[in-house]
C-alpha cells in the first residue's frame, strides 16, 4: 500500500509544495500581479493584458484557484477573480519559513 503525501511529509512541506506548484509558471505570476493591481478582474480582462489565449488563461486561473491563492465569484456568465488575502498571507508565511529553513548554517559548504 502506497503512503500519501500527508503520511510522508509534514503539513508545512505539503503546503509549500502545493503553493510552489501553483506558482510554477510565469503566466500565473503575471496573473497574480494583475489581480494585485486591479483587486478584481474577469478572465477577459486578464487575456487582454497577456499574450495568451482565453482558454490558457482559464487553465492558469483554475490552478491558482485550486491552490487557494485566488478566489472567483460567479457574476452571470462571467467569473470575477481576486486574490484570496487570507491564503496569500499563508503563502507568504509558508514561503518565508521555507526560505529561513534553507538558510545554511555551514559557511564551509562546497
Amino acid at each position: 500500500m502506497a503512503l500519501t503525501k500527508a503520511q510522508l511529509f509534514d503539513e508545512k512541506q505539503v503546503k509549500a509544495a502545493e503553493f510552489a506548484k501553483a506558482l510554477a509558471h510565469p503566466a500565473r505570476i503575471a496573473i497574480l500581479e494583475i489581480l494585485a493591481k486591479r483587486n478584481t478582474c474577469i478572465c477577459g480582462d486578464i487575456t487582454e493584458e497577456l499574450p495568451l489565449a482565453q482558454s490558457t488563461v482559464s487553465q492558469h486561473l483554475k490552478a491558482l484557484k485550486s491552490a487557494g491563492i485566488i478566489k472567483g465569484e460567479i457574476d452571470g456568465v462571467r467569473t470575477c477573480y481576486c486574490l484570496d488575502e487570507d491564503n496569500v498571507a499563508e503563502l507568504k508565511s509558508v514561503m518565508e519559513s521555507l526560505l529561513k529553513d534553507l538558510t545554511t548554517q555551514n559557511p564551509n559548504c562546497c
Side-chain angles (χ1 to χ4, degrees):
M1 177 168 115
L3 297 175
T4 66
K5 286 185 217 175
Q7 293 169 320
L8 292 170
F9 305 102
D10 69 36
E11 184 180 340
K12 183 178 81 170
Q13 292 167 328
V14 172
K15 196 65 179 176
E18 289 170 355
F19 281 139
K21 183 178 178 182
L23 297 173
H25 195 287
R28 295 180 192 161
I29 302 298
I31 289 168
L32 292 175
E33 291 172 340
I34 291 167
L35 292 175
K37 283 188 266 181
R38 290 189 174 196
N39 294 326
T40 63
C41 215
I42 60 169
C43 183
D45 294 338
I46 296 169
T47 302
E48 289 177 12
E49 290 201 36
L50 298 176
L52 301 171
Q54 185 273 330
S55 60
T56 302
V57 170
S58 291
Q59 288 176 333
H60 289 303
L61 288 166
K62 181 179 178 183
L64 291 167
K65 188 174 178 188
S66 292
I69 300 171
I70 66 171
K71 54 188 174 181
E73 185 176 302
I74 297 173
D75 181 20
V77 296
R78 302 184 300 186
T79 303
C80 183
Y81 293 96
C82 64
L83 297 175
D84 185 319
E85 293 184 22
D86 291 337
N87 284 337
V88 169
E90 182 182 10
L91 164 64
K92 181 179 179 182
S93 174
V94 166
M95 291 305 176
E96 283 177 345
S97 177
L98 172 64
L99 292 173
K100 182 180 175 209
D101 291 347
L102 294 178
T103 304
T104 182
Q105 302 299 317
N106 182 1
N108 296 322
C109 182
C110 58

